[in-house]
Amino acid sequence: MAGSSGLLIPLVAGIIGLGVLAQVLAARLRVPSIIFYLLVGVIIGQPGLGIIGDGTFGGALSAIVGLAVAIIVFEGAYHLRFDRLREAPAATFRLVTVGAAIALVGTAIAVKFAFSSAAVSWNLAFLIGALLVATGPTVITPILDVVPVRDRVAAALETEGIVNDVTAAIIAVVIFETVNPAVASESLLRGFALRLGTGLLVGLIVAGVVYYLLQYVDLSPGDAPRNSRLLVLAGALIAYAGANTIATEAGVAAAATAGMALGNVDHPYEEDIEEFKGDITLLVLSFVFIALAAQLELASLIDVGLAGIIVVLAVALLIRPLLVFVSAVGDRFTTNEKLFVSFVGPRGIIPASVATLFAVELNAAAEEVTGAQAELLGTQADILLGTVFLVIFATALFEGGLARFIAEKLDVIPMRVIIVGGGQVGRALAARLEDRGENVVIIEEEEESVERARNEGYAVEIGDGTDTDVLRSAGAENAKTVVAATGDDDANLLVSQLASSKFGVDRVIARANNPDNVEAFEDLGVRTISSAMATAWAIDNQIERPAIAHWMTDVGRSGDVQEVEVTNPELIGKSIRDVGPMLPDACLVALVSGELHENAEVPTADYILEEGDMVTLLGRRESVRDGMKMVSGD
């Protein structure tokens, strides 16, 4: 369709409207929204109804996409906190270095040998490989929104997406100069260093200026939140445009640098800015993905044929698992977590937008020459665009659509422990729970407590724990335990009731600050711990059994006591006498509880373990942890 001004406005409005509907539908079905963006683009674009075509946006599409990329990359980097990076430091670093190198070289080899055409030179193969290094926040974040994996896994995927978006875009631009005869090529290393350095410098300068200006926004209190939001948005766009003016594609690095720098310093109205940026990002993301998918000609996908399918299979089933397992060697990831990360590697906005731009430039260069060279450039443009979009479509549809199913099959969605109240009690409990490997989220709304909890390395959901939406956002739908640990008994009671009735949490525990409220709590079926009684127990332990009290509770303690369900088939049907030697040294079965007995009891040597029994292990800290894994069959 021709891009007349009379039709352009309703087209843009229609695309945004369809994008919002796609987002709502994706949230309803709990699948990544990119799937619906791509499908909408195909339906209304050249492969489908033809409502949008090459000339719909004229020459403005590349500029629109560029500014949208700036907002998307900035927003993703803004949420990338340094404290989260500590969740998986070694694996994260290797994913964006060794892993990226494996992806680049491996994909280039797959492209070169999948296509028998002489048009696919090594330069073009490495160009496609560079573009397909990028996963990106545009596809990773929607997946993590519906697949609440452990924080260390999410941190690795998010960091990989942000960093690889930047490096892939820069490397691709540098390599493209060796493919496009209309561009004077330069040293690959020099070109990469120039763009990355420019982006880092411009991004830091813009972040510094925006941070300085944010300190003075309060001079107009009524308009301060709005002005803060607009100031940060302008900063993202200026960083991108300024760096791009100096060096092509340095803008991606600048936007990412500015976003990460601002996201990791304290500044006014941070929560307002996060919400605003998230909404803007959803709008531009939906528009850009739909618009780019609509530009794709079906012939481009058909032309790559079997060779393109081979590249998709190599990228998804060979190269991705290889780079993940190499990058995560020796780290804290379980085998199932590595398999999940291997499966989740969809390509996003950077390869789509940059490949489209490169194809346009190659076709433009083909018009400047004649004969075999013109045909070669046209063929290269088709192969570049077709291969990149085929990988994007395949990985987004299959990996994005099946991500939650795969996560459930691999059992990598951890049951969460939610602590409502980030005061001294909440943080002390969180420390003990995280020490034994629980996935803990603290809900707190008081700013000072939030800052203290985050500084101590805990995952914090900002908000009122009595708010259903806040509980849901913290992961209450996937929580095995909710602890109401605030200093307000009324709030603790309401949290307990919501967790039990609204979210069906099996284990809900409340703190009763006033001992007189304990009976009322328990009458409502809430397990309750009285602050006064807990203090009395602690003092009694110090008086009557000081040795075991110090052994279990002191910082750096050597001992531990943990309860675990018997699910290992090798132990079911065996007696305690037989199981004892199978446990690690310095680990004993102290108590057993199960369906046959209401209360826990000290088992005799002849007690036969049954599936579902809960055993309490006592011993040295490391031995107990190993014993828990053995008893549960992990």
Side-chain angles (χ1 to χ4, degrees):
M1 175 174 287
S4 65
S5 58
L7 293 175
L8 189 57
I9 291 177
L11 274 177
V12 171
I15 291 174
I16 293 175
L18 288 171
V20 172
L21 289 177
Q23 173 64 31
V24 172
L25 183 60
R28 177 71 176 171
L29 298 178
R30 300 181 67 80
V31 296
S33 53
I34 183 178
I35 296 173
F36 293 101
Y37 297 155
L38 292 173
L39 290 176
V40 169
V42 169
I43 292 170
I44 67 175
Q46 296 187 80
L49 301 176
I51 298 173
I52 296 176
D54 290 334
T56 301
F57 302 101
L61 184 60
S62 60
I64 295 172
V65 170
L67 294 177
V69 166
I71 295 172
I72 294 166
V73 171
F74 180 93
E75 201 262 346
Y78 187 84
H79 287 88
L80 195 60
R81 301 291 193 263
F82 291 146
D83 54 358
R84 291 205 69 192
L85 298 185
R86 290 194 289 269
E87 291 293 329
T92 301
F93 178 76
R94 288 194 293 265
L95 273 173
V96 300
T97 51
V98 177
I102 293 174
L104 171 62
V105 176
T107 305
I109 293 173
V111 170
K112 177 63 178 175
F113 288 99
F115 287 91
S116 57
S117 171
V120 181
S121 63
W122 277 110
N123 288 350
L124 181 62
F126 271 97
L127 175 61
I128 296 173
L131 288 171
L132 294 179
V133 165
T135 51
T138 57
V139 283
I140 294 299
T141 301
I143 290 176
L144 296 179
D145 286 342
V146 297
V147 186
V149 292
R150 198 173 294 277
D151 285 345
R152 61 173 177 253
V153 178
L157 286 170
E158 288 171 342
T159 308
E160 180 194 25
I162 293 292
V163 175
N164 283 356
D165 255 6
V166 174
T167 55
I170 295 175
I171 293 173
V173 169
V174 175
I175 295 177
F176 181 66
E177 294 177 351
T178 68
V179 176
N180 187 2
V183 179
S185 62
E186 58 181 321
S187 165
L188 294 180
L189 183 60
R190 180 177 177 275
F192 178 80
L194 172 65
R195 288 167 173 82
L196 182 59
T198 300
L200 292 174
L201 179 61
V202 172
L204 289 174
I205 291 173
V206 171
V209 172
V210 171
Y211 176 76
Y212 177 80
L213 294 175
L214 283 172
Q215 310 309 310
Y216 294 93
V217 167
D218 285 330
L219 294 177
S220 54
D223 298 327
R226 181 195 64 195
N227 292 340
S228 297
R229 296 191 295 265
L230 295 176
L231 183 60
V232 172
L233 175 61
L237 298 176
I238 290 171
Y240 176 84
N244 248 21
T245 302
I246 299 172
T248 309
E249 291 305 319
V252 178
T257 302
M260 191 177 298
L262 282 173
N264 283 279
V265 296
D266 294 327
H267 56 76
Y269 306 105
E270 183 175 346
E271 187 173 347
D272 290 320
I273 292 170
E274 286 184 354
E275 292 179 359
F276 175 70
K277 291 287 292 174
D279 292 341
I280 292 293
T281 298
L282 282 177
L283 287 178
V284 298
L285 179 62
S286 61
F287 176 83
V288 170
F289 258 121
I290 292 173
L292 288 178
Q295 301 295 310
L296 182 65
E297 294 183 5
L298 188 59
S300 297
L301 293 176
I302 296 175
D303 286 346
V304 297
L306 179 61
I309 295 174
I310 292 174
V311 172
V312 171
L313 294 176
V315 167
L317 302 181
L318 295 177
I319 299 169
R320 179 68 181 175
L322 173 63
L323 74 88
V324 168
F325 274 83
V326 169
S327 300
V329 65
D331 217 306
R332 294 181 294 165
F333 291 123
T334 65
T335 300
N336 282 358
E337 287 173 342
K338 293 176 186 176
L339 288 171
F340 176 75
V341 176
S342 298
F343 180 80
V344 179
R347 274 53 179 181
I349 193 68
I350 291 295
S353 58
V354 178
T356 302
L357 175 64
F358 287 169
V360 170
E361 292 189 16
L362 285 175
N363 284 321
E367 294 178 359
E368 301 296 325
V369 296
T370 59
Q373 188 176 10
E375 184 179 349
L376 174 64
L377 290 173
T379 302
Q380 288 181 332
D382 291 341
I383 291 175
L384 169 65
L385 199 61
T387 304
V388 169
F389 266 91
L390 187 62
V391 172
I392 292 172
F393 271 101
T395 56
L397 290 173
F398 289 100
E399 297 181 2
L402 297 175
R404 187 174 182 88
F405 173 78
I406 296 297
E408 290 172 348
K409 287 297 182 182
L410 293 175
D411 195 24
V412 297
I413 302 179
M415 297 295 285
R416 293 192 171 192
V417 176
I418 297 176
I419 301 174
V420 180
Q424 291 182 347
V425 173
R427 296 198 310 277
L429 177 60
R432 299 179 67 83
L433 293 173
E434 285 203 341
D435 182 58
R436 69 169 186 243
E438 299 285 1
N439 190 29
V440 179
V441 178
I442 295 175
I443 297 178
E444 178 59 60
E445 61 178 341
E446 201 273 322
E447 186 175 340
E448 185 177 346
S449 297
V450 169
E451 188 65 26
R452 186 179 293 115
R454 282 183 168 173
N455 288 339
E456 293 177 10
Y458 302 118
V460 180
E461 179 72 26
I462 302 175
D464 182 355
T466 63
D467 187 322
T468 304
D469 291 335
V470 173
L471 284 169
R472 181 179 289 107
S473 179
E477 293 175 329
N478 194 50
K480 65 177 179 181
T481 305
V482 170
V483 180
T486 74
D488 184 341
D489 283 356
D490 290 337
N492 290 341
L493 182 58
L494 181 54
V495 168
S496 301
Q497 290 174 323
L498 286 174
S500 179
S501 62
K502 186 74 175 178
F503 297 102
V505 180
D506 292 331
R507 185 185 302 165
V508 181
I509 302 171
R511 167 190 175 187
N513 299 278
N514 185 346
D516 295 337
N517 292 333
V518 172
E519 185 175 349
F521 274 51
E522 291 181 341
D523 286 344
L524 293 172
V526 178
R527 300 190 210 181
T528 310
I529 302 295
S530 164
S531 296
M533 186 59 69
T535 303
W537 288 340
I539 294 174
D540 181 50
N541 283 334
Q542 294 293 336
I543 295 172
E544 297 295 336
R545 51 198 75 83
I548 194 170
H550 287 298
W551 180 69
M552 286 179 53
T553 61
D554 285 354
V555 175
R557 64 189 186 277
S558 61
D560 203 359
V561 179
Q562 297 290 342
E563 186 176 85
V564 62
E565 182 180 357
V566 179
T567 54
N568 187 347
E570 294 184 7
L571 302 185
I572 297 171
K574 285 188 168 57
S575 67
I576 295 295
R577 179 183 289 106
D578 295 329
V579 169
M582 299 171 65
L583 292 170
D585 292 338
C587 178
L588 306 173
V589 177
L591 296 171
V592 175
S593 60
E595 295 181 356
L596 298 180
H597 32 270
E598 295 182 0
N599 300 316
E601 62 181 40
V602 178
T604 65
D606 296 325
Y607 179 89
I608 304 298
L609 289 177
E610 297 183 1
E611 185 174 4
D613 277 352
M614 301 297 295
V615 299
T616 300
L617 302 179
L618 179 147
R620 290 180 182 169
R621 186 169 178 272
E622 294 76 12
S623 299
V624 169
R625 304 303 165 85
D626 292 339
M628 292 174 68
K629 293 179 181 178
M630 193 196 80
V631 172
S632 65
D634 184 1

